[in-house]
Amino acid sequence: MSATHPHIDEVPLLPRVDVNEDGWEDEEEVEAALLRKLDNRMRAYTTLLVLAHVICNTVAIATLFGFYEALNVTRTQFGSIIAAHHIGLAVGICLFSPLKRLASKWPSMTPASAAALGVLCVLTTSCSSFFQVFAVRCVSGLIDSTLSMNQVHTRRLWYKRAGFSSTAHRVPLSNVIGLIVASLTALPLFDGYGPVMGKRIFYVNGVLIITFALYAWYRLPGHPETATWLSESERRLVTKWIVERNEQESQFNGGHNEQEPQVDGGWGARVAILTHVLKMFTLGVSEFLFSFIKSFELYWPVIFAAAAGVDVYDSGVLLSSVAPWILPAVVTSMFARNWSKLMRQSFQTFFPILFGTYSFSIVLVLVGFQIAQYANSKQLFLVSLCMIPLAFIAHVPYIWHLALATAGVTESDTPRNRNLKTRFVTLCSIAGKVVGSYVWLFQDHGFYHFPASVAASSTLPFIFLFLFCVTEGINFCKRISERLAAEPGRREMEELAGHESSV
């Protein structure tokens, strides 16, 4: 065969289904064409996730137009309404296994979930009590969690290596899009103001995601066995990837018995268990603090409007509140777009880029919180508001190092325990958002000295916890390198794929 195909040892070949002079085609060419198609179709997932977060923040925007007064609720109840979406996310994490099985059996679950999210957004306008809005928001959060799970499931189904995908651009983009759409809705061209305007924003955002869900129904990849957009060669290549990935996962999981390992009762074993528990607790606290620091975005329109000191909220105020989010949206989108290229770089190149990005942005965030804590003028507070959203740029390197640290700490666990522990870290992240829903409640004086001081005091310990994640991640990478040197045929980086949905 080598004589007939002299390059067969250098380039993998696939049998060509179409008529060709030699009957073979390069696997690399098929893979490149397939990945281009997949990346184009996976953009539908990204758009749905961004629009889902726009739905999440619609309540805060509608608050500017009397939604809070129309419900006639207390501040604590309003905080519960903001937190309800994240409570629904927590329920979705707890129901991960049945939702995962449902996603594997029903590929069209993603556009159906997005459409249901839009319907619930529209139904919010007919809610007249705290309990009705709270229930709708909880269900919306549950549906939102299914969208994220379906994205992870689809990547693991279609891609050769599911790997880690950067989704840090979701929140900045959703704030940019949501505030621009709200500013267009608030233009004086339309009749009605106050509560009428608030209801209109719910209608527009609901119809927007429903419309795109119908488009996504056609664009999403579907299942390899039934996808009509695949060529026969591409279908064979995907099938080959699935078989290889299943073998690798079975090989890896086979090294971990489903039963807990038997350990002696010596002090060494007890210290090892205690150290493991403390490491997981540290990861959970780190995720809790960073989520709390970022939870200011739940009240962003209200915070910005209070800082601007305006009495009438119009499209100009909403459009001005977009400005601090432009830089985070651009930077995080560039990371997401070039993430696969960064992953192909050496660790000596990749790590300084991420660590430098984190250090620069987190220092500016800390300075911004300090300014907001002691600001006595509108100008200073607006300056701080331009610095605080940079926390979402720091989110890019942080979430990568957290994934590495979580993979390293849970490396020797059984698959069941590994999944439980990564869900624990995820629930800690959601808990930070829930607590932030109450801490960042809008203040009468408009200058958020107390919540800013709480966030600033949380930033310093978070920086030290981030260094712990970096250390654990580096140690994990060293262990991977040692194993790859001993067994060149193995690909231990697949271990990170199991943590993608949790971080």
Side-chain angles (χ1 to χ4, degrees):
M1 184 176 293
S2 299
T4 308
H5 309 286
H7 57 299
I8 194 169
D9 295 327
E10 291 80 18
V11 181
L13 298 179
L14 287 175
R16 183 183 291 274
V17 178
D18 304 327
V19 178
N20 185 266
E21 57 184 11
D22 63 356
W24 294 85
E25 58 184 336
D26 293 342
E27 181 176 324
E28 293 179 352
E29 295 179 358
V30 178
E31 179 177 342
L34 175 59
L35 290 178
R36 283 194 297 269
K37 292 181 181 180
L38 279 176
D39 290 341
N40 288 332
R41 290 182 174 270
M42 287 298 292
R43 290 193 183 100
Y45 266 116
T46 303
T47 307
L48 287 178
L49 290 173
V50 169
L51 293 179
H53 199 79
V54 170
I55 299 282
C56 173
N57 288 347
T58 303
V59 170
I61 299 175
T63 302
L64 298 178
F65 301 98
F67 183 73
Y68 170 74
E69 291 78 6
L71 286 178
N72 192 24
V73 294
T74 65
R75 288 188 175 183
T76 303
Q77 287 177 325
F78 189 79
S80 299
I81 290 175
I82 297 294
H85 187 91
H86 303 284
I87 294 173
L89 287 173
V91 174
I93 295 299
C94 296
L95 298 176
F96 175 78
S97 297
L99 290 176
K100 181 181 177 182
R101 289 193 294 268
L102 185 61
S104 61
K105 295 180 180 178
W106 188 22
S108 59
M109 182 179 176
T110 297
S113 299
L117 199 60
V119 172
L120 288 174
C121 184
V122 174
L123 288 178
T124 308
T125 60
S126 61
C127 297
S128 57
S129 67
F130 161 74
F131 294 103
Q132 291 176 345
V133 179
F134 183 83
V136 170
R137 294 271 295 173
C138 284
V139 177
S140 298
L142 175 61
I143 294 175
D144 191 1
S145 69
T146 63
L147 292 177
S148 300
M149 293 179 191
N150 289 343
Q151 183 201 32
V152 174
H153 171 74
T154 303
R155 286 186 61 86
R156 291 171 65 86
L157 177 65
W158 279 95
Y159 283 84
K160 184 176 183 179
R161 295 184 182 89
F164 178 87
S165 61
S166 177
T167 57
H169 61 300
R170 177 186 181 187
V171 174
L173 275 180
S174 67
N175 278 281
V176 171
I177 294 174
L179 291 170
I180 290 177
V181 171
S183 66
L184 295 176
T185 308
L187 287 173
L189 300 175
F190 303 98
D191 296 330
Y193 204 73
V196 176
M197 183 69 68
K199 288 186 176 181
R200 187 182 301 153
I201 293 173
F202 281 106
Y203 283 127
V204 171
N205 288 337
V207 171
L208 185 63
I209 193 171
I210 290 174
T211 302
F212 193 83
L214 297 176
Y215 169 74
W217 207 305
Y218 166 74
R219 287 296 299 172
L220 291 178
H223 196 277
E225 295 180 359
T226 58
T228 58
W229 54 273
L230 286 175
S231 68
E232 189 61 31
S233 299
E234 292 167 346
R235 196 185 310 276
R236 292 188 179 188
L237 182 58
V238 174
T239 303
K240 176 185 175 183
W241 289 349
I242 293 175
V243 172
E244 291 177 350
R245 187 166 56 247
N246 290 338
E247 291 177 353
Q248 290 171 351
E249 291 178 357
S250 300
Q251 201 173 34
F252 173 74
N253 292 331
H256 301 80
N257 295 325
E258 290 295 335
Q259 301 294 326
E260 290 289 341
Q262 299 294 325
V263 296
D264 56 21
W267 282 105
R270 295 177 183 178
V271 171
I273 293 174
L274 180 60
T275 303
H276 185 81
V277 171
L278 288 176
K279 286 183 177 181
M280 287 305 306
F281 179 76
T282 303
L283 292 176
V285 173
S286 175
E287 187 70 337
F288 173 86
L289 288 178
F290 197 34
S291 291
F292 169 73
I293 292 169
K294 296 182 297 180
S295 63
F296 70 88
E297 63 99 13
L298 301 176
Y299 290 96
W300 176 260
V302 183
I303 295 176
F304 188 89
V310 295
D311 297 325
V312 178
Y313 308 118
D314 54 12
S315 59
V317 175
L318 290 171
L319 201 58
S320 299
S321 65
V322 176
W325 290 100
I326 293 178
L327 180 60
V330 171
V331 174
T332 53
S333 296
M334 289 177 60
F335 268 107
R337 185 178 182 85
N338 299 289
W339 191 256
S340 59
K341 296 180 181 178
L342 282 174
M343 292 289 290
R344 289 195 291 267
Q345 302 297 321
S346 64
F347 187 73
Q348 290 76 11
T349 302
F350 183 76
F351 179 78
I353 292 175
L354 291 190
F355 194 81
T357 301
Y358 169 84
S359 302
F360 177 76
S361 54
I362 203 67
V363 168
L364 291 180
V365 170
L366 181 59
V367 172
F369 277 130
Q370 294 295 338
I371 294 175
Q373 185 178 352
Y374 299 105
N376 292 316
S377 66
K378 180 175 69 176
Q379 291 76 13
L380 278 177
F381 197 74
L382 287 175
V383 169
S384 72
L385 290 184
C386 292
M387 303 170 71
I388 293 174
L390 297 178
F392 288 91
I393 297 180
H395 176 77
V396 177
Y398 165 74
I399 202 66
W400 167 250
H401 287 292
L402 179 69
L404 281 179
T406 307
V409 173
T410 62
E411 182 182 13
S412 59
D413 287 326
T414 63
R416 178 177 178 275
N417 288 344
R418 195 161 58 244
N419 291 333
L420 289 176
K421 290 173 182 178
T422 51
R423 290 183 208 178
F424 162 75
V425 176
T426 306
L427 291 175
C428 289
S429 173
I430 296 174
K433 290 291 185 70
V434 172
V435 172
S437 301
Y438 295 97
V439 174
W440 286 98
L441 282 171
F442 39 92
Q443 310 291 314
D444 291 334
H445 52 74
F447 294 92
Y448 292 63
H449 298 294
F450 171 70
S453 63
V454 175
S457 61
S458 301
T459 305
L460 287 175
F462 165 71
I463 293 175
F464 291 105
L465 292 174
F466 173 75
L467 295 178
F468 167 78
C469 294
V470 172
T471 303
E472 287 294 323
I474 291 175
N475 292 335
F476 180 55
C477 288
K478 289 180 178 178
R479 293 196 297 270
I480 290 175
S481 300
E482 292 173 358
R483 284 196 293 267
L484 285 176
E487 302 177 56
R490 297 187 61 184
R491 293 292 182 269
E492 295 292 339
M493 289 303 291
E494 273 80 7
E495 296 177 33
L496 295 181
H499 301 272
E500 179 180 311
S501 61
S502 300
V503 298

